[in-house]
Amino acid sequence: MKTKRKMKLKSKLSKTVKILVFILSCCGSNLTLSSQDKPNVVYILVDDLGYGDIGCYGATKVKTPNIDKLATEGKIFTDAHSASAVCTPSRYATMTGQYPFRGNNGKGIWGPAPVESELLLKTDQLTIADVLKNSGYATAALGKWHLGFKTGRNDWKQPLSPGPNDLGFDYYFGVPVVNSAPPYVYVENTHVVGGDPNDPLVYVGKGKPEVVTPITPIPPEASQRTVNMFKGAVAAHKIYNDYTVGTVLAGKAVDWITAKTAKKSKKEKQNPFFLYLATTHIHHPFTPGSNFQGKSDAELYGDFIQELDWMVGQVTSTLEKQGVAENTLIIFTSDNGAMLNLGGRNAVKAGHKINGDLLGFKFGVWEGGHRVPFIAKWPGKIEAGTVSNQLICNVDMLATFMALTGQNTNNLEHTDSVNILPALTGNPEKPIRNEVVLAAYRESHLSLRKGKWMYIPAQGSGGFTGSKPEQHAWGGAPAVAFIGGVNSDIENGKIKKDAPKAQLYNLEEDKYQITNVYTKYPEVVKEMETILESYRPKTEKTPKK
């Protein structure tokens, strides 16, 4: 009996300590909110949406009324960036508040997570979901995950854990990798939707078409999709249809928001909610639903954007219907810039500028690879119809959500995240952040933006280099030539032989990176090199015996 009492007392003390720690963490914050005042948060992360892909950022070949409405009722950022021009590392930055080159025990996360990837985050890492969950929020992740599952090699045997549920999300439903890579099934929390123990999902690898489970047929113009590498789970594969993914995810978002905002009795307290909606749109393959096919002036690529806009409308209209729109912060952004794949090239031929007039594309460190749309709406807190030129990054979400919920960001350790809440709700005269480290696919092109200067320590973009009609991954100098772009280091779709060994651009005067001024400002280059080197992880060398 005495032992049990001691255990109970210890449990109570432990809970009390946790509460005190949380209260203390809130002290000193610039924003203190009661539970009822805390806004709901909807973070819509689009896949591969370029700087020129929506109407409020200049697109004329596609119609995006729902997204444009967010802009007219909120704020547009013109200098927002993803920490990486690649999907998986960019998502790592959003989730953790850390630059992706710090991931993987300092080796960095540079490319898309492969099909068999383990969970790339440590379960004890603080995530944006943890931040909000710790503040009393209900949390959900819907859509594309692409950050791996399990510990060690993911053999896809269920349960798929650790995963999103171990990182602060109460609920997960979505596409486990990406819509262009297997398995082509949905996962709900830790299990395959429609899974059958008598017909399990089994990974068999590439080159075994005779055993893999059939998937939705798509035409060549939809752009690349990797062949299936899994056998079994026939029923689960049938549930997943490329042409209905947008409808399914939008429906899940509507249902989840509706459930969390359903009217309760007067005695019950309604907790705020956080929805991380990571769409597979507009990543290839471009498979818009039948209601959207042929409706844009930018081929399948544009049709996919217009279906995305419909999805956003489903979310915003549900918030209004449930009476919570006035106290909901909506952030709409992209994981990286647009890709010049077949769908992108067809859109360009139709007159659509996927990254506007920015230089470069997804995977590369030129502006088109990582400068992304970023729109924020919060009625009564964010002034409608405003524009900000503050330099911000997706890595800043962790500190921002802490500040939003009254937690003290000074308590953060080992983070690259900066609180941009003042830039959301106001118009600071001084920069919120002075510099940001930006990554391409290649480690050699880890680059630094500081004030007006962008420094790239190598030639080219550090991304894709394809240039032939049959190639999927176009980028670099050949891609610039394809769209008729101009850069002083490029001639006839190739880097000039006498081009400088690295790049420096004055983005204040040359936003589109037309002129490399590396040789003109050696003192700036030296400063930028020194700062960039200070960010690189220091690896200890094993002493020689």
Side-chain angles (χ1 to χ4, degrees):
M1 181 68 70
K2 189 175 180 180
T3 304
K4 287 183 178 180
R5 284 178 182 173
K6 281 185 177 181
M7 288 175 66
K8 286 182 179 179
L9 178 62
K10 185 177 180 182
S11 176
K12 287 181 180 179
L13 284 171
S14 177
K15 289 179 181 178
T16 303
V17 169
K18 287 181 179 179
I19 292 170
L20 285 171
V21 169
F22 176 75
I23 292 172
L24 289 170
S25 75
C26 295
C27 297
S29 172
N30 294 325
L31 182 66
T32 304
L33 299 172
S34 68
S35 175
Q36 293 179 341
D37 292 330
K38 290 175 183 175
N40 306 305
V41 179
V42 175
Y43 189 85
I44 303 175
L45 182 63
V46 186
D47 201 356
D48 288 4
L49 187 77
Y51 194 80
D53 272 334
I54 50 180
C56 53
Y57 278 81
T60 59
K61 297 292 183 178
V62 296
K63 295 179 177 63
T64 54
N66 293 300
I67 299 169
D68 296 347
K69 186 180 179 185
L70 286 179
T72 57
E73 295 178 346
K75 179 178 287 187
I76 283 181
F77 283 77
T78 62
D79 204 0
H81 300 262
S82 54
S84 170
V86 186
C87 49
T88 293
S90 174
R91 288 158 198 272
Y92 177 91
T94 295
M95 283 287 166
T96 65
Q98 288 187 341
Y99 289 131
F101 65 78
R102 301 193 194 281
N104 192 21
N105 297 316
K107 297 177 183 178
I109 299 170
W110 302 96
V115 173
E116 297 175 273
S117 173
E118 68 176 336
L119 181 64
L120 295 176
L121 284 72
K122 297 177 181 177
T123 55
D124 59 355
Q125 276 185 279
L126 184 68
T127 68
I128 54 174
D130 287 325
V131 165
L132 293 159
K133 188 177 178 65
N134 291 344
S135 196
Y137 280 66
T139 59
L142 303 177
K144 174 181 172 178
W145 181 239
H146 213 178
L147 286 166
F149 291 88
K150 309 189 79 168
T151 301
R153 172 182 169 271
N154 180 9
D155 58 8
W156 291 96
K157 292 180 181 178
Q158 300 179 78
L160 299 173
S161 180
N165 298 127
D166 302 281
L167 299 172
F169 290 107
D170 300 326
Y171 178 71
Y172 169 69
F173 178 95
V175 179
V177 182
V178 61
N179 59 320
S180 66
Y184 297 108
V185 297
Y186 292 112
V187 168
E188 185 170 31
N189 294 322
T190 61
H191 286 72
V192 172
V193 176
D196 181 352
N198 296 316
D199 184 27
L201 182 72
V202 178
Y203 178 75
V204 296
K206 296 180 180 179
K208 298 180 180 179
E210 70 282 357
V211 300
V212 298
T213 303
I215 55 178
T216 313
I218 62 173
E221 59 268 25
S223 202
Q224 185 266 359
R225 181 185 62 178
T226 302
V227 297
N228 200 7
M229 301 180 196
F230 290 80
K231 70 176 183 178
V234 173
H237 279 89
K238 286 181 179 179
I239 293 171
Y240 183 98
N241 182 312
D242 293 74
Y243 291 95
T244 61
V245 172
T247 303
V248 169
L249 294 182
K252 284 289 179 180
V254 168
D255 291 345
W256 191 81
I257 293 172
T258 301
K260 296 305 170 186
T261 55
K263 289 187 177 181
K264 301 179 180 180
S265 65
K266 292 182 179 180
K267 293 183 180 180
E268 284 185 290
K269 187 178 78 171
Q270 189 162 310
N271 292 328
F273 64 82
F274 169 52
L275 173 60
Y276 168 77
L277 176 58
T279 72
T280 55
H281 293 55
I282 60 169
H283 192 283
H284 61 87
F286 303 98
T287 53
S290 57
N291 291 339
F292 301 93
Q293 293 170 15
K295 297 298 175 66
S296 77
D297 293 323
E299 302 295 332
L300 287 175
Y301 185 100
D303 298 344
F304 221 33
I305 291 174
Q306 294 192 176
E307 184 173 34
L308 166 70
D309 183 76
W310 171 82
M311 294 171 68
V312 171
Q314 291 293 294
V315 171
T316 55
S317 63
T318 301
L319 295 171
E320 292 167 2
K321 180 181 177 182
Q322 296 300 112
V324 296
E326 292 302 304
N327 192 35
T328 299
L329 167 62
I330 302 175
I331 292 175
F332 174 92
T333 189
S334 179
D335 66 342
N336 45 247
M339 179 178 173
L340 197 66
N341 46 36
L342 178 59
R345 298 197 296 273
N346 287 340
V348 169
K349 290 177 182 178
H352 177 61
K353 295 183 177 182
I354 61 178
N355 283 322
D357 291 315
L358 297 177
L359 183 73
F361 303 91
K362 173 185 177 178
F363 263 56
V365 80
W366 290 331
E367 291 296 291
H370 52 78
R371 189 182 291 232
V372 292
F374 190 102
I375 304 168
K377 175 192 172 184
W378 186 9
K381 301 294 192 299
I382 295 176
E383 185 179 354
T386 52
V387 178
S388 174
N389 62 0
Q390 284 278 346
L391 174 65
I392 64 171
C393 183
N394 65 339
V395 78
D396 297 330
M397 292 301 99
L398 186 107
T400 302
F401 291 161
M402 286 190 73
L404 181 73
T405 52
Q407 301 175 58
N408 191 351
T409 58
N410 292 329
N411 294 332
L412 283 173
E413 294 182 1
H414 310 298
T415 180
D416 302 298
S417 193
V418 172
N419 171 23
I420 66 166
L421 190 58
L424 294 176
T425 59
N427 187 26
E429 292 183 6
K430 294 183 179 180
I432 293 292
R433 59 154 62 242
N434 295 314
E435 59 196 41
V436 62
V437 181
L438 299 162
Y441 175 63
R442 292 182 175 83
E443 187 176 352
S444 58
H445 285 67
L446 186 68
S447 302
L448 177 69
R449 167 75 184 278
K450 180 175 176 61
K452 66 182 181 181
W453 297 109
M454 176 65 178
Y455 172 65
I456 304 170
Q459 294 181 337
S461 73
F464 294 131
T465 57
S467 62
K468 298 177 182 179
E470 70 277 8
Q471 291 177 319
H472 165 64
W474 278 39
V480 172
F482 178 83
I483 65 165
V486 178
N487 178 270
S488 59
D489 290 354
I490 298 173
E491 188 173 55
N492 298 325
K494 297 180 180 180
I495 300 295
K496 295 177 181 177
K497 291 182 179 180
D498 60 349
K501 65 178 183 178
Q503 302 167 73
L504 180 71
Y505 299 98
N506 180 347
L507 297 181
E508 197 174 88
E509 300 176 359
D510 185 17
K511 177 180 177 180
Y512 303 121
Q513 297 178 298
I514 294 172
T515 307
N516 179 6
V517 294
Y518 174 86
T519 58
K520 189 176 181 180
Y521 297 98
E523 70 286 356
V524 175
V525 169
K526 185 176 180 180
E527 179 190 3
M528 299 290 274
E529 284 178 339
T530 301
I531 296 172
L532 183 59
E533 185 60 31
S534 71
Y535 278 100
R536 295 184 186 279
K538 301 296 186 292
T539 54
E540 295 183 8
K541 294 182 179 180
T542 304
K544 293 181 180 180
K545 294 182 180 180

